[in-house]
Amino acid sequence: MEFAVKVGAPLKQKIGCLILPVYESGKISDQTKKLDAHLATQVLSVIKKGDIEGKISQTFLFHPSLSQSGSSEKFERVLLVGCGKLRTLTDYEYKEIITASTCALKKTHSAEAYSYLAELDVQNRDIAWKIKCATELMRELDYEFTDFKTKKSHTPKIKRLRKFYWMIYNKKELYKSEVALEQAVAISDGVSLTKDLGNTPANICTPSYLAQKAEELAKLHKKGNKISVAILEAKEIKALKMGSFLSVTQGSPEAPKLITLSYRGAKKKEDKPIVLVGKGITFDTGGNSLKPPTSMIGMKFDMCGAATVMGVMHAAASLQLPINIIGVIPSCENIPGGKATRPDDIVTSMSGITIEIANTDAEGRLILCDALTYCERYHPEVVIDIATLTGACIVALGGQASAVMSNYQPLANDLLKAGQTSLDRAWQLPIWEEYQLQLKSPVADLCNIGGPEAGSITAACFLANFTKNFHWAHLDVAGTAARYCGDKKGATGRPVPMLMQYLINKAEK
Ligand code: BES
Ligand code: MN
Ligand code: ZN
């Protein structure tokens, strides 16, 4: 399906489904009144009959009758959408309205749709935001993962729609609306890629598979020749002295990979890059510190940080953002075996810092610390790591917000702000020096766990020891990147929207 923005005059347009807001106590918008008198009468009569009250997320579909003047028959269908009382909406209410209208539209056989919902009044949001938010949401509602279904589902898809138009009133807002739409489509494509990778199970989505997908991504964008890929094998990882990363892969027959993707979009090649590091544990059993069976379910999602990096690279390259971005993905599997790391083992990281591994299930930080040290060679402007790092993060913030922790407050602020705009939100946790006390080891420089208190913070504090030479933020996305069980089990594609908003803001500066 294609999206487009159109200004004014719907009556000159072809057949399709017209999507109109209606409000509580029987009100319709002035715009609906202006649209077509005959149609407005019909809408008012539908409301009068009580088929729709106008409460938020109610919908009602009808086939308008022909008018004498021959105008409203141009629309095969009219979908009325309840938008509550005629007043300013919250972000949440707006999303509810878009969701309801999309679900209702899916059930119709429309080939085209013209929606007036982007002109709803949402507090402190402009038309560009409303179109971007609603388009991403519609794409979200259309996502399905059917790669492994032999019978494809018959759930209605908005894909049957050829074209979806956001109707706007003001011609002056057309350009920024179209820019917003283009961004939304690119971000949705990135989100879908991230979801697909996350949802693919670990017997298929191995480190080698991720490496292959990274190469495919570079080929996909070969037109601009702007993405390049390098894949380091175990031998080279060893040569880099990444003893901490390698300790995690020891028990697995799958070969570890260190994948780097580089996107050069800046006018000046030498512009300092923004480096994204993604945790790529393709399956996390816990290793010798084995997880109980129920906690192991959904651990195929432990590479969602890596998938996020790939989704962001894809979206940023599609939009040709004028910045340089490097993605670093340490990827391996964490499983027990005769060669697997034992609790009590001591390893030496690439930085030289020695680590006592008290729990092999705290493996994310072990692969990330070496990847973070590796980032120094890029002289980054900032480094942001994305990781499904701690169960404690799910306890603290649930599925609503990613945790952000940073050694540079302006970077944390930028991410928090990008989260507010994209509604892919984050919440900051502190990483005060005092927490480092919990990571003391009697035998090594650091211990890889910090005890039961403040688990997300001590995980970040562990990483902070390896990021002293650059501005760094850590996103713990354990709660936001996936739902681990139940009906809605699946990758969410978060925090691709937040990071894309951050990069778009950067590119505009
Ligand atoms: N991948 C997990 C974190 C996780 C748990 C993500 C649940 C998503 C859902 C991570 O590797 C892990 O096992 N963390 C441990 C750390 C502990 C041993 C200090 C945890 O959170 O229990
Ligand atoms: Mn683990
Ligand atoms: Zn893990």
Side-chain angles (χ1 to χ4, degrees):
M1 179 190 32
E2 253 184 78
F3 287 91
V5 185
K6 239 180 163 56
V7 189
L11 290 181
K12 292 197 192 78
Q13 280 133 21
K14 285 163 269 160
I15 51 158
C17 183
L18 192 62
I19 303 173
L20 296 171
V22 296
Y23 301 89
E24 279 177 48
S25 60
K27 293 199 179 83
I28 60 174
S29 71
D30 291 343
Q31 216 60 33
T32 304
K33 286 178 204 156
K34 278 187 220 152
L35 211 68
D36 177 314
H38 180 68
L39 189 67
T41 318
Q42 287 190 56
V43 172
L44 287 168
S45 118
V46 165
I47 299 174
K48 224 179 202 162
K49 284 176 190 151
D51 287 328
I52 183 163
E53 293 162 281
K55 291 213 171 78
I56 283 180
S57 77
Q58 285 179 329
T59 59
F60 186 74
L61 181 80
F62 72 95
H63 296 251
S65 67
L66 306 190
S67 77
Q68 236 57 35
S69 62
S71 50
S72 57
E73 80 270 22
K74 288 191 173 160
F75 293 101
E76 272 187 313
R77 301 173 181 82
V78 174
L79 178 63
L80 301 180
V81 185
C83 295
K85 304 210 171 75
L86 229 173
R87 56 156 176 77
T88 302
L89 298 164
T90 63
D91 295 342
Y92 179 73
E93 288 169 330
Y94 179 66
K95 284 177 73 176
E96 290 284 297
I97 290 164
I98 299 298
T99 302
S101 63
T102 305
C103 295
L105 180 65
K106 273 195 198 194
K107 291 182 196 146
T108 74
H109 263 269
S110 315
E112 289 187 352
Y114 302 85
S115 173
Y116 278 84
L117 299 179
E119 285 286 9
L120 290 171
D121 183 17
V122 185
Q123 192 158 30
N124 297 327
R125 303 296 194 185
D126 68 353
I127 188 77
W129 183 92
K130 287 182 281 184
I131 288 175
K132 180 170 174 283
C133 169
T135 306
E136 285 177 38
L137 183 51
M138 285 185 67
R139 289 282 307 268
E140 170 88 36
L141 293 165
D142 208 32
Y143 177 85
E144 268 185 324
F145 183 66
T146 55
D147 288 12
F148 300 91
K149 294 261 193 202
T150 52
K151 294 190 195 89
K152 304 295 171 195
S153 90
H154 295 291
T155 53
K157 300 211 86 186
I158 43 179
K159 273 181 191 143
R160 189 163 49 218
L161 270 175
R162 267 187 297 116
K163 201 118 192 189
F164 188 96
Y165 293 94
W166 293 115
M167 303 302 295
I168 66 170
Y169 305 152
N170 187 348
K171 208 174 167 182
K172 282 185 193 143
E173 295 182 325
L174 181 61
Y175 178 71
K176 70 171 180 176
S177 298
E178 283 176 339
V179 170
L181 183 61
E182 192 195 356
Q183 290 174 353
V185 171
I187 293 168
S188 300
D189 287 344
V191 165
S192 294
L193 171 64
T194 300
K195 285 181 182 174
D196 285 347
L197 291 169
N199 289 331
T200 304
N203 59 329
I204 290 155
C205 184
T206 58
S208 310
Y209 179 91
L210 284 178
Q212 185 197 323
K213 289 286 163 186
E215 277 172 341
E216 283 171 23
L217 195 60
K219 269 195 206 116
L220 192 69
H221 292 281
K222 72 163 180 275
K223 228 203 215 154
N225 203 15
K226 280 186 174 162
I227 294 190
S228 56
V229 182
I231 296 172
L232 301 190
E233 310 289 335
K235 235 172 132 187
E236 294 148 299
I237 300 169
K238 224 171 266 169
L240 285 165
K241 299 192 171 152
M242 294 187 169
S244 184
F245 177 11
L246 287 168
S247 76
V248 178
T249 191
Q250 269 170 220
S252 173
E254 291 295 336
K257 305 277 170 182
L258 182 66
I259 306 163
T260 56
L261 288 145
S262 151
Y263 165 75
R264 304 261 160 208
K267 288 202 187 77
K268 282 185 265 164
K269 269 205 177 123
E270 64 278 10
D271 270 9
K272 284 183 165 187
I274 291 162
V275 181
L276 304 175
V277 180
K279 172 176 172 183
I281 295 290
T282 55
F283 199 82
D284 182 12
T285 64
N288 272 326
S289 311
L290 197 64
K291 287 182 187 291
T294 51
S295 306
M296 217 182 280
I297 295 194
M299 281 305 127
K300 67 170 179 178
F301 298 121
D302 217 18
M303 36 56 72
C304 279
T308 295
V309 172
M310 307 244 279
V312 167
M313 292 302 245
H314 181 38
S318 299
L319 289 174
Q320 307 255 21
L321 292 186
I323 45 178
N324 293 331
I325 311 167
I326 289 177
V328 177
I329 298 172
S331 181
C332 70
E333 194 173 49
N334 185 27
I335 62 173
K339 291 185 179 159
T341 295
R342 297 147 288 254
D344 289 348
D345 282 3
I346 298 171
V347 297
T348 304
S349 66
M350 183 182 180
S351 70
I353 296 173
T354 57
I355 303 162
E356 176 193 3
I357 300 178
N359 188 322
T360 63
D361 197 11
E363 84 297 341
R365 62 199 80 182
L366 295 175
I367 67 169
L368 288 171
C369 69
D370 280 341
L372 287 165
T373 302
Y374 186 73
C375 289
E376 287 181 16
R377 67 187 53 208
Y378 296 112
H379 305 291
E381 184 185 329
V382 301
V383 176
I384 303 167
D385 80 72
I386 306 106
T388 47
L389 205 62
T390 63
C393 191
I394 311 178
V395 176
L397 298 172
Q400 297 304 330
S402 305
V404 57
M405 288 153 268
S406 179
N407 64 10
Y408 185 59
Q409 193 55 36
L411 173 58
N413 292 345
D414 286 350
L415 290 167
L416 291 166
K417 188 174 150 226
Q420 290 287 347
T421 307
S422 59
L423 296 186
D424 175 8
R425 286 173 291 211
W427 198 254
Q428 190 173 9
L429 297 177
I431 48 169
W432 298 314
E433 266 179 270
E434 283 81 348
Y435 288 110
Q436 291 289 346
L437 300 174
Q438 286 176 243
L439 293 167
K440 281 206 162 147
S441 161
V443 285
D445 300 337
L446 272 178
C447 179
N448 82 325
I449 54 168
E453 294 175 6
S456 305
I457 292 173
T458 53
C461 287
F462 178 90
L463 298 177
N465 290 286
F466 302 85
T467 60
K468 293 196 168 145
N469 296 330
F470 44 76
H471 297 321
W472 157 77
H474 160 64
L475 291 171
D476 194 331
V477 296
T480 51
R483 295 189 190 94
Y484 295 88
C485 55
D487 261 7
K488 291 189 171 160
K489 177 173 172 177
T492 63
R494 291 178 69 184
V496 171
M498 180 209 306
L499 288 168
M500 280 308 297
Q501 191 62 52
Y502 167 79
L503 294 173
I504 287 167
N505 293 348
K506 275 264 171 203
E508 276 169 5
K509 261 183 206 163

